Amino acid sequence: MNKLILILFFVCSVATASENINILLGTPTNPSQTDYIIIRPQYVVGYNPDKGIPNWVSWNLNADWFGDVERYSGSFIRDTTLPEGMYRVKHGDYTNSGYNRGHMVRSEERTATVEDNKSTFILTNVAPQTADLNQGVWLDFEYFLEDLCKIENKELFVIAGSYCTTNNTLLDEGLVTIPDSYYKIVVSLDKGGVLADVQNTTTVYAVLMPNIDGVRNDAWTKYQTTIDNIEFITGYDFLNNVASEIQDVIESGSTSVSTALTDFKLYPNPTKSLITIEGFDNVPYCYVFDTLGRLVLSAVIEFSPYVIDLSNLDNGIYLLKCGDVVRVIGKY
């Protein structure tokens, strides 16, 4: 299927899905990406047929979506709704690859009915994740969202997706791309909240996590970022049904459960070469990692503000770690 047909399908699908609760705050858009839109009652997918993984998945989450249905026990499911000529990823594509079949919409988040739960095992809702990510820090954040729903009675609007800077694929067939990192964006409202309830003071969580080994025991708060940063990295526009003046506020900040983040300033970001760290007077070391988790630069922070020179690094996205805080930085 050529790209023109995919774009036409995209336009028709958005119109059809305009009232879908799972994209109530807007359908992610990126003119440079191919998004084959898949609309299900449980979630909406922007699927990338060239990579065999979702670019993004968007869904609503509250206590009502959780139930007593047992986890589906069969093999992960080929998506037979994909048109002829579009590769349909199969369970065996992941076998012996060293990567988990990582749900975007978590199985537990759709346990009200058997059909809901089974839908999360369709492979257009799945992408390759390391075991440490999938079973560790990513799951830690999922537990946090579950508590928001069940204990704090929140209404969540969630977008999760992947970011790829390389062409690494599963096995030799080259049919499923391995993302370098994963992001998740969460808008939190009181139960029953709708689009009109999103305001400048609305709580937003945003994380960007590297798809590497060694992160299993990390706290998810180490990978907090902003929606603006995720938009910069991915090229997507999120929450586009929200008024632009509200987007400007909530997309530039991230709700923090760590007081250290409130004092940490980083500018300009993105940068062409120099980036300034301000507010960390008691952290002696700073580390910069690429999206594959490789250490590419380290510095001793002698005073605040402190300037780090990134001019020797290639243009791209990096993770800056100071103490227990991790921020996303962009170099262009």
Side-chain angles (χ1 to χ4, degrees), residues 238-260:
F238 300 106
L239 312 184
N240 43 53
N241 283 351
V242 177
S244 58
E245 62 272 16
I246 296 176
Q247 284 190 61
D248 290 342
V249 175
I250 65 175
E251 292 187 356
S252 62
S254 177
T255 300
S256 174
V257 298
S258 170
T259 56

Side-chain angles (χ1 to χ4, degrees), residues 16-66:
T16 304
S18 60
E19 300 301 320
N20 191 305
I21 187 65
N22 296 302
I23 48 172
L24 187 68
L25 305 190
T27 302
T29 57
N30 180 351
S32 68
Q33 280 284 7
T34 299
D35 280 329
Y36 184 86
I37 303 298
I38 302 168
I39 304 167
R40 296 195 169 95
Q42 299 85 7
Y43 53 83
V44 175
V45 180
Y47 184 70
N48 191 321
D50 299 322
K51 296 179 178 178
I53 57 175
N55 288 322
W56 54 265
V57 182
S58 182
W59 69 101
N60 169 249
L61 189 62
N62 58 43
D64 297 338
W65 287 102
F66 294 88

Side-chain angles (χ1 to χ4, degrees), residues 168-183:
N168 294 330
T169 57
L170 293 181
L171 305 179
D172 297 327
E173 289 84 352
L175 301 171
V176 182
T177 301
I178 302 168
D180 300 297
S181 55
Y182 285 86
Y183 65 84

Side-chain angles (χ1 to χ4, degrees), residues 66-71 108 111-113:
F66 294 88
D68 299 323
V69 169
E70 292 185 4
R71 179 185 172 96
E108 183 65 24
T111 48
T113 71

Side-chain angles (χ1 to χ4, degrees), residues 177-192:
T177 301
I178 302 168
D180 300 297
S181 55
Y182 285 86
Y183 65 84
K184 187 171 282 189
I185 295 166
V186 182
V187 176
S188 177
L189 303 172
D190 290 334
K191 180 71 179 297

Side-chain angles (χ1 to χ4, degrees), residues 98-100 129-137 211-213 216:
Y99 286 86
N100 286 185
Q129 291 185 328
T130 65
D132 279 1
L133 177 69
N134 183 47
Q135 300 170 34
V137 62
N211 190 27
I212 59 175
D213 294 325
R216 180 180 294 264

Side-chain angles (χ1 to χ4, degrees), residues 50-237:
D50 299 322
K51 296 179 178 178
I53 57 175
N55 288 322
W56 54 265
V57 182
S58 182
W59 69 101
N60 169 249
L61 189 62
N62 58 43
D64 297 338
W65 287 102
F66 294 88
D68 299 323
V69 169
E70 292 185 4
R71 179 185 172 96
Y72 172 72
S73 60
S75 296
F76 280 70
I77 304 164
R78 268 189 169 185
D79 193 338
T80 57
T81 69
L82 296 177
E84 291 292 332
M86 190 178 291
Y87 182 70
R88 298 169 179 176
V89 179
K90 61 184 184 298
H91 180 94
D93 290 335
Y94 283 75
T95 303
N96 298 323
S97 69
Y99 286 86
N100 286 185
R101 300 169 184 87
H103 291 80
M104 295 296 96
V105 183
R106 180 185 170 209
S107 168
E108 183 65 24
E109 293 173 352
R110 292 294 185 258
T111 48
T113 71
V114 172
E115 182 181 4
D116 284 352
N117 187 252
K118 190 174 181 179
S119 75
T120 68
F121 288 83
I122 300 175
L123 283 159
T124 43
N125 177 53
V126 171
Q129 291 185 328
T130 65
D132 279 1
L133 177 69
N134 183 47
Q135 300 170 34
V137 62
W138 187 261
L139 181 60
D140 186 36
F141 189 46
E142 291 175 328
Y143 285 148
F144 174 75
L145 300 185
E146 182 176 349
D147 287 344
L148 287 181
C149 294
K150 292 182 175 180
I151 298 174
E152 298 189 28
N153 205 28
K154 295 298 183 180
E155 189 85 31
L156 306 181
F157 295 91
V158 187
I159 305 168
S162 58
Y163 174 67
C164 304
T165 58
T166 67
N167 294 317
N168 294 330
T169 57
L170 293 181
L171 305 179
D172 297 327
E173 289 84 352
L175 301 171
V176 182
T177 301
I178 302 168
D180 300 297
S181 55
Y182 285 86
Y183 65 84
K184 187 171 282 189
I185 295 166
V186 182
V187 176
S188 177
L189 303 172
D190 290 334
K191 180 71 179 297
V194 295
L195 176 62
D197 296 312
V198 181
Q199 301 297 324
N200 290 346
T201 56
T202 293
T203 298
V204 171
Y205 303 92
V207 296
L208 179 69
M209 299 181 181
N211 190 27
I212 59 175
D213 294 325
V215 298
R216 180 180 294 264
N217 296 319
D218 287 350
W220 68 263
T221 51
K222 291 176 63 174
Y223 299 100
Q224 284 185 285
T225 184
T226 67
I227 299 174
D228 278 345
N229 277 342
I230 296 173
E231 287 183 331
F232 173 77
I233 292 168
T234 64
Y236 275 93
D237 177 31

